[in-house]
Amino acid sequence: MATRILILVGTKKGAFILEGDEGRKKWSLRGPFCEAWPLNHVIADPETNAIFAAGGNEWFGPAVWKSGDLGETWTHSSEGLKYEEGEDPVKTAWSLSPGADCLYAGVEPAGLFRSEDGGETWTHIRGLRDHPSRPQWMAGGGGLNLHCIVRHPTDSNQLWVGMSAVGVFHTADGGKTWAPRNKGTRSDYAPEGQRYPELGQCVHSMALAAGTEERLYQQNHCGMYRTDDGGLNWESIEAGLPSTFGFPAATHPRDPDTLFLVPLNGDVLGRFVPDGKCAVWRTRDGGKTWQDLREGLPQDNAFLGVLRQAMATDNLESAGVYFGTSSGTVYVSADEGETWIEAATNLPTVTSIETLVVE
Amino acid sequence: MTGVAHNSGLDLEAGAGKVVVSLPTGLVRLFPGSPNEVEVEAGTVRDVIDALNEMWPGMRDRLIDSRPAIRKHLNIFVAGEKARLDTPLPSGARVIIMTAMSGG
């Protein structure tokens, strides 16, 4: 059977699926799915090809949608996706991480749930919200949400999560206990002399480097970082980039030294690509040096942004790189970022991009 | 009889019994096979939601949150008045579940 390549697109008004040809040059669009609900993350389990979509509707609350037939039909559930009486209710589901042992969901207000039946029912992982620092947790501009889940590649008890504006937390015991992992990441919004706190940083996204167990990259509200020890120590890799601000971070499927970012023009003046010229920035050496990749991307009056979960790679030879914009365009590079094409335009605001290769 | 019962023409003497429930389109679309209008046995609004959840598993979570309370952007009207979960329902009551003005 021929290989099929799908781009899973989460938007503020439903899920869409783009399917490409063999060369990843021509793309056809299906959707909107999930009743055009606001979605934050659409992702597939590569083992089962099940597609999950996390979101929440102002009327009907949070839900995780599921399709077992590549988007043809969908069901939804939030059974157990709730806090105890008296707590602020779960407003929306933010991020998903499928795996062999379970499916994780991060939600707003920040917390983590797991499902062991493919998203039908959910159990709250209480240890995170029981952390003694919780009274200090503050919402970022997008709310107090858990928007990033990174699994350890070999130890299912280890997990990193990113919460805004709380920072990175790590568990080594399957979620029973957690510890902040923010040393070396900056908070420019604290008084001078207090800009490296234990927590309170605004992590925007994280990605695990291919083939490693403890190298993570992080795009923060205040800088770009790399850790080689699972987040115990973070090192700035922002030198050579046009700003310290951006949202997504996507790693190469095989090369741990390659990372893709989309720096924006800071957090004050619109959060656009700098100078209205769109570029993806790539490092091939773990963040020591950077190249801006622009061929095929708009270089004139492009006042667009890219949200935290809206960039991904695929695992094909000559890795594909994909991102979706706040103005509803999905860009594709089939050559590791060297050249770009538009795969879709005029979609709702893109909140997430993931890929699925179906053999 | 109370003023509400008089105004609505309902029979309070019958106590908990059958009520007619209107469901909003956005909700019906989420549960294939559910109708715009359904008759259930219920003594309170909470009973209505439990009965709906029996017929369409998961519908409870779409209507109420974990406070627990009717979701903030939904309204449930009984005899023309906004109801709460514990609002009693006379037999024959008409329960209207409506989405609030919301969105963008």
Side-chain angles (χ1 to χ4, degrees):
Chain A
M1 190 178 165
T3 297
R4 297 172 68 187
I5 172 75
L6 307 182
I7 310 173
L8 312 177
V9 186
T11 80
K12 292 201 171 177
K13 301 191 179 186
F16 296 82
I17 297 176
L18 285 156
E19 181 154 359
D21 65 356
E22 203 172 333
R24 290 171 284 178
K25 296 295 182 195
K26 292 183 179 171
W27 296 86
S28 58
L29 182 75
R30 291 186 282 135
F33 302 117
C34 308
E35 291 294 310
W37 273 32
L39 299 175
N40 296 305
H41 197 198
V42 183
I43 190 170
D45 181 344
E47 296 300 315
T48 65
N49 293 335
I51 301 173
F52 301 95
N57 176 291
E58 285 290 342
W59 293 324
F60 302 118
V64 175
W65 295 73
K66 179 181 181 180
S67 174
D69 52 14
L70 299 180
E72 295 298 323
T73 59
W74 294 81
T75 56
H76 55 88
S77 177
S78 58
E79 190 177 335
L81 199 69
K82 60 183 72 171
Y83 296 135
E84 292 176 355
E85 286 186 20
E87 300 263 349
D88 283 345
V90 173
K91 183 178 179 187
T92 186
W94 254 94
S95 190
L96 299 168
S97 174
D101 56 336
C102 71
L103 172 66
Y104 287 111
V107 305
E108 177 188 357
L112 186 67
F113 290 78
R114 66 184 281 154
S115 172
E116 295 180 358
D117 56 8
E120 299 296 323
T121 61
W122 296 89
T123 304
H124 181 208
I125 298 175
R126 294 174 191 281
L128 182 59
R129 283 171 66 87
D130 286 345
H131 193 272
S133 67
R134 186 154 80 90
Q136 301 169 49
W137 294 8
M138 281 184 60
L144 175 55
N145 52 56
L146 193 158
H147 54 66
C148 183
I149 304 165
V150 178
R151 291 167 179 263
H152 190 281
T154 58
D155 179 0
S156 62
N157 281 322
Q158 286 198 57
L159 203 64
W160 295 268
V161 298
M163 299 184 282
S164 287
V166 183
V168 176
F169 276 61
H170 172 259
T171 180
D173 57 13
K176 293 185 189 71
T177 60
W178 295 79
R181 290 276 173 100
N182 300 300
K183 189 177 173 190
T185 59
R186 198 172 66 244
S187 175
D188 291 334
Y189 293 88
E192 210 168 320
Q194 301 175 36
R195 291 189 176 156
Y196 290 89
E198 187 180 17
L199 57 94
Q201 286 88 337
C202 191
V203 53
H204 280 180
S205 61
M206 275 187 297
L208 182 73
T212 75
E213 297 198 336
E214 296 196 314
R215 174 180 282 193
L216 295 159
Y217 294 100
Q218 179 185 155
Q219 172 68 70
N220 192 289
H221 195 113
C222 308
M224 296 75 163
Y225 302 90
R226 190 190 77 227
T227 175
D228 291 315
D229 57 13
L232 290 172
N233 298 280
W234 293 91
E235 174 188 342
S236 173
I237 55 170
E238 65 202 39
L241 290 168
S243 84
T244 59
F245 185 87
F247 286 103
T251 44
H252 190 278
R254 291 171 292 277
D255 178 10
D257 289 330
T258 295
L259 173 72
F260 301 91
L261 299 175
V262 184
L264 303 179
N265 67 341
D267 63 350
V268 176
L269 292 173
R271 305 181 178 195
F272 306 127
V273 288
D275 304 317
K277 302 176 191 300
C278 185
V280 170
W281 290 71
R282 183 184 64 198
T283 178
R284 292 289 202 190
D285 53 15
K288 293 187 185 73
T289 60
W290 295 91
Q291 304 87 46
D292 53 327
L293 309 168
R294 301 175 183 275
E295 190 176 335
L297 296 176
Q299 297 302 302
D300 189 30
N301 294 327
F303 298 104
L304 58 88
V306 181
L307 294 173
R308 68 180 81 239
Q309 298 189 102
M311 184 160 67
T313 53
D314 65 28
N315 60 9
L316 298 178
E317 204 53 49
S318 183
V321 190
Y322 306 79
F323 69 95
T325 72
S326 53
S327 39
T329 300
V330 176
Y331 290 100
V332 171
S333 169
D335 53 12
E336 311 212 344
E338 294 295 331
T339 60
W340 297 85
I341 60 166
E342 286 179 352
T345 57
N346 299 317
L347 297 180
T349 296
V350 176
T351 54
S352 79
I353 293 284
E354 297 284 357
T355 60
L356 174 64
V357 176
V358 183
E359 301 292 348
Chain B
M1 295 182 85
T2 67
V4 170
H6 176 75
N7 289 340
S8 60
L10 301 175
D11 178 11
L12 271 184
E13 301 302 319
K18 290 187 174 174
V19 300
V20 176
V21 187
S22 295
L23 306 179
T25 301
L27 182 67
V28 167
R29 289 181 60 89
L30 294 174
F31 295 90
S34 63
N36 287 107
E37 197 165 280
V38 60
E39 193 175 79
V40 301
E41 296 228 358
T44 64
V45 169
R46 189 189 300 273
D47 293 344
V48 168
I49 292 171
D50 288 345
L52 293 174
N53 198 63
E54 278 287 310
M55 289 184 277
W56 297 287
M59 195 177 277
R60 180 192 289 116
D61 283 344
R62 303 280 69 84
L63 297 173
I64 64 175
D65 62 31
S66 57
R67 288 175 286 169
I70 297 164
R71 289 197 177 279
K72 286 181 177 173
H73 289 261
L74 292 178
N75 287 314
I76 299 183
F77 292 94
V78 176
E81 300 286 335
K82 272 178 78 167
R84 297 157 41 115
L85 287 176
D86 57 1
T87 298
L89 303 176
S91 183
R94 184 169 190 83
V95 179
I96 303 173
I97 302 175
M98 300 188 81
T99 49
M101 205 77 80
S102 178

